[in-house]
């Protein structure tokens, strides 16, 4: 895979990186219900990646059970790293640095990744760096062959976050708007649960919506009739509950359910598209990137493509498997930061640490 010259870091490498031509960074993602690992080379790009999803483990509970998630990360992480190295034909000594998700996320799950990363880094005598999960998502489109150029607006839509961010450079993030209640993915998941769909709700609801008529029921487009770039999705969920309670005994209940799913999905897509258009206008940027799990939603991709074509901005996404949680985005973001010497003292990583809450704007800039 080619690497965008724009993001290749040419600064003198510090400490153990000094005089190294190639660096291979191991990325570890354990913030929620996916164990993701990847190996990223500053010269050759992504060498390998592996993902283990805990979906089956949590399915019977209808949502992520944090304690089960942590225990499963403990079980899966080391075998996954071994499988990763095997698939790349490499051994542990090929690792020059380790990047792990330090937050935000589930505390126990984060501690598994950070503990493993710091211990392995100590054993291999290489630097380790805690990466902000949302920075990982935000930079994921840069892993693609035709990466977007800075500056851009990032729409981050995941299970825990809905944010619009003005990105002028790696590490320079200005929050333009965010959700005041449920995240977009959370709204998908909760609405799917209300409709009795299987876990995880987002993809299940999107699949059902395909056979539905989005115009049959009218859904609001929350907070679009007032200025600003914040979101609120909890009202859509309540709207669905009321609608479904009234309609669930209808003779065509299966079709009603599909039509509600389609109406809900379109309402989310329209709302996100309206706010994205506004953010593009406000910043004057020509490029929008979309990342996070809901970025895998096809209707959203179509809706934003259309909005971009109309208003004259480009829209880029990571490939669908890098929209949802993965190790590649963490390896990549970590590589950019590690190469500028951001580890150990001055970047809080002299101890095992996890930050379940961590504002994106607190990240230090990257001087490339
Ligand atoms: O980024 P992600 O994998 O994990 C978090 O950091 O939260 O996002 C997961 C979220 C879940 O809420 C999931 O239901 C949603 O993304 N999601 C989708 C789709 N695929 C994943 N929502 C709607 N349509 C999809 N196709
Ligand atoms: Zn995520």
């Amino acid at each position: 895979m080619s690497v965008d010259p724009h993001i290749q870091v040419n600064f003198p490498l510090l400490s153990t990186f000094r005089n190294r031509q190639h660096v291979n960074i191991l990325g570890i993602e354990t913030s929620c219900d996916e164990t993701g690992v990847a190996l990223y080379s500053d010269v050759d790009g992504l060498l390998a990646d592996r993902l283990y999803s805990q979906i089956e483990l949590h399915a019977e509970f209808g949502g992520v059970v944090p304690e089960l998630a942590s225990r499963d990360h403990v079980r899966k992480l080391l075998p996954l790293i071994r499988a990763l190295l095997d698939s790349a034909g490499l051994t542990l000594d090929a690792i020059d640095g380790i990047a792990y998700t330090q937050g935000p996320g589930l505390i126990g799950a984060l501690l598994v990744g950070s503990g493993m990363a710091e211990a392995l880094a100590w054993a291999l005598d290489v630097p380790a760096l805690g990466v902000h999960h949302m920075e990982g998502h935000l930079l994921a489109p840069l892993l693609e062959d035709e990466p977007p150029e800075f500056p851009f607006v990032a729409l981050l839509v995941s299970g825990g976050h809905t944010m619009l961010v003005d990105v002028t450079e790696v590490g320079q993030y200005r929050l333009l708007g965010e959700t005041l209640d449920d995240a977009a993915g959370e709204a998908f998941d909760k609405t799917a649960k209300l409709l009795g769909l299987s876990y995880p709700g987002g993809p299940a609801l999107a699949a059902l919506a395909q056979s539905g008529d989005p115009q049959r029921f009218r859904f609001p487009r929350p907070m679009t009739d007032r200025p600003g770039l914040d979101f609120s999705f909890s009202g859509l969920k309540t709207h669905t509950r009321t609608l479904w309670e009234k309609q669930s005994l209808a003779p065509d209940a299966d079709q009603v359910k599909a039509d509600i799913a389609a109406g809900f999905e379109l309402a989310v897509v329209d709302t996100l598209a309206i706010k994205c258009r506004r953010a593009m206008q406000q910043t004057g940027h020509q490029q929008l990137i979309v990342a996070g799990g809901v970025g895998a939603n096809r209707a959203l991709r179509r809706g934003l493509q259309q909005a971009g074509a109309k208003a004259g901005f480009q829209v880029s996404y990571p490939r669908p498997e890098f929209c949802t949680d993965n190790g590649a985005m963490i390896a990549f973001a970590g590589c950019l930061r590690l190469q500028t010497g951001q580890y150990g003292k001055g970047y809080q990583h002299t101890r095992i640490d996890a930050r379940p809450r961590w504002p994106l704007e607190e990240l230090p800039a990257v001087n490339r």
Side-chain angles (χ1 to χ4, degrees), residues 155 157 265 268-270 272-273 290 294-305 317:
L155 172 68
V157 270
E265 184 180 55
V268 174
V269 169
D270 277 357
L272 291 172
V290 184
V294 185
N297 183 280
R298 292 216 198 117
L300 178 64
R301 288 176 173 235
R302 263 197 317 274
L304 291 177
Q305 217 66 50
Y317 309 85

Side-chain angles (χ1 to χ4, degrees), residues 214-297:
Q215 308 299 343
R216 178 165 171 192
F217 301 109
R218 177 77 200 150
F219 279 78
R221 273 48 177 166
M223 295 187 67
T224 52
D225 55 355
R226 63 183 101 159
L229 294 169
D230 286 334
F231 304 91
S232 165
F233 290 112
S234 67
L236 281 179
K237 181 187 62 196
T238 314
H239 189 81
T240 306
R241 180 185 290 119
T242 316
L243 207 55
W244 182 232
E245 275 169 9
K246 274 195 211 144
Q247 303 274 346
S248 58
L249 296 177
D252 63 339
D254 283 348
Q255 190 56 48
V256 167
K257 199 190 267 194
D259 294 343
I260 290 178
F264 167 86
E265 184 180 55
L266 187 63
V268 174
V269 169
D270 277 357
T271 305
L272 291 172
I274 290 168
K275 297 285 166 133
C276 284
R277 260 201 320 264
R278 245 181 236 175
M280 299 310 287
Q281 239 170 10
Q282 191 173 308
T283 56
H285 298 336
Q286 307 291 310
Q287 176 75 55
L288 174 72
I289 70 106
V290 184
V294 185
N297 183 280

Side-chain angles (χ1 to χ4, degrees), residues 31 34 133 137 157-160 185-186 188-189 200-203 206 265 292-294 296-298 323-325:
S31 67
E34 248 120 24
H133 182 77
H137 276 306
V157 270
S158 69
E186 192 180 358
F188 264 95
D189 294 340
E265 184 180 55
V294 185
N297 183 280
R298 292 216 198 117
C323 274
T324 44
D325 292 348

